[in-house]
Amino acid sequence: MTEDVIIKGYPHGIRLVMNPDIPIEQLLTSVCVKFASSKGFWGEASMSLTIEGRNLSNEELEAVIQSIERNSHIRISLVSTKDRFFEKEMSRKKDAFYFQKTGDYLKIHDGSVKNGEKIISNYGLLITGDIETGATAECGGSLVVLGTIAGKAYAGRETGKSAFVLTAGIQEADISIGSVRENFSVKNRTRLLSKKNHLIIVTVEDGHLSPEEFTGKVNV
């Protein structure tokens, strides 16, 4: 399987086919990006969720559910895996514990990081707005910005050059992945939630930061 996650819809339900060979952080990042970019398609609905291709712990399963619900208008009601089938409502009393557990894999900042503000995550980081000029976002893993980066964006502080930065635009930004740091701009025509997505993925190649158009999957 080459893609991180494949999403298939059926009446009143969603089926996720997951790559079993990638880190959970990368998997959750892909789930967040895919559902955020297709939020309008799914609309507001209560749906069942079927997981295939990967065995998940209870904590990882709840992190997947939170990644879907926090990046769309979907509410997961039933969950089916290879060895489990239960009503999601029965586990709502555990939400406080699992919500905190989600942060162990991917921290989500709702909105923009403002001038003078600094957001830090020891793991992956998803920002639903912009990183404004004078703002800083720093994470141990990969960084996903649904808006534009104009401030400081530091990824891979723990994972090094295997991390990536995924964003809708870069404007004279200070970006680093691991120990590789550069300042540059990449013009982009549209933002993530538009009908035509022209996302930019930045990785490390030959000791330099390499921005390319995002093709829909993460291969880092």
Side-chain angles (χ1 to χ4, degrees):
M1 181 176 179
T2 57
E3 291 194 54
D4 293 352
V5 59
I6 298 173
I7 304 175
K8 298 183 177 181
Y10 57 91
H12 309 297
I14 301 170
R15 184 162 70 99
L16 297 186
V17 182
M18 297 181 169
N19 190 326
D21 301 320
I22 62 173
I24 186 65
E25 173 199 282
Q26 182 175 328
L27 176 66
L28 291 174
T29 299
S30 294
V31 171
C32 288
V33 170
K34 283 180 178 290
F35 277 93
S37 63
S38 60
K39 183 183 296 186
F41 171 79
W42 297 107
E44 296 186 20
S46 177
M47 308 184 79
S48 63
L49 174 65
T50 300
I51 303 290
E52 296 181 8
R54 184 180 185 124
N55 292 324
L56 300 175
S57 66
N58 287 341
E59 292 87 353
E60 291 171 340
L61 178 58
E62 188 64 22
V64 170
I65 294 171
Q66 293 284 359
S67 296
I68 294 171
E69 293 186 339
R70 294 166 72 181
N71 289 280
S72 69
H73 300 302
I74 296 171
R75 182 176 176 85
I76 301 300
S77 57
L78 296 173
V79 181
S80 174
T81 66
K82 182 178 180 180
D83 56 351
R84 281 168 287 177
F85 183 83
F86 61 92
E87 292 187 13
K88 181 62 173 57
E89 291 301 320
M90 296 177 61
S91 69
R92 286 289 172 183
K93 61 182 180 180
K94 301 179 182 179
D95 271 359
F97 169 78
Y98 284 133
F99 186 83
Q100 179 64 39
K101 198 68 180 177
T102 306
D104 289 349
Y105 306 115
L106 181 71
K107 180 176 181 178
I108 300 177
H109 177 80
D110 190 15
S112 296
V113 186
K114 303 294 185 179
N115 181 17
E117 189 176 5
K118 186 175 184 179
I119 303 296
I120 300 177
S121 171
N122 292 328
Y123 299 87
L125 177 60
L126 171 68
I127 296 170
T128 64
D130 303 318
I131 300 178
E132 298 181 357
T133 302
T136 301
E138 181 178 331
C139 61
S142 295
L143 172 64
V144 178
V145 181
L146 304 189
T148 297
I149 301 174
K152 298 177 180 179
Y154 303 144
R157 288 300 169 89
E158 298 293 333
T159 57
K161 65 181 182 180
S162 64
F164 61 87
V165 175
L166 183 65
T167 180
I170 302 172
Q171 300 176 356
E172 292 297 331
D174 179 8
I175 296 180
S176 72
I177 298 178
S179 60
V180 182
R181 182 175 175 180
E182 298 179 21
N183 188 291
F184 60 92
S185 295
V186 178
K187 292 184 178 180
N188 205 359
R189 296 192 296 274
T190 58
R191 298 171 66 87
L192 177 62
L193 300 183
S194 64
K195 292 183 178 180
K196 291 185 178 181
N197 299 328
H198 298 277
L199 298 178
I200 301 162
I201 186 167
V202 183
T203 58
V204 176
E205 291 187 10
D206 299 324
H208 296 279
L209 297 183
S210 175
E212 298 179 353
E213 184 175 347
F214 182 55
T215 60
K217 59 183 178 180
V218 178
N219 294 320
V220 178

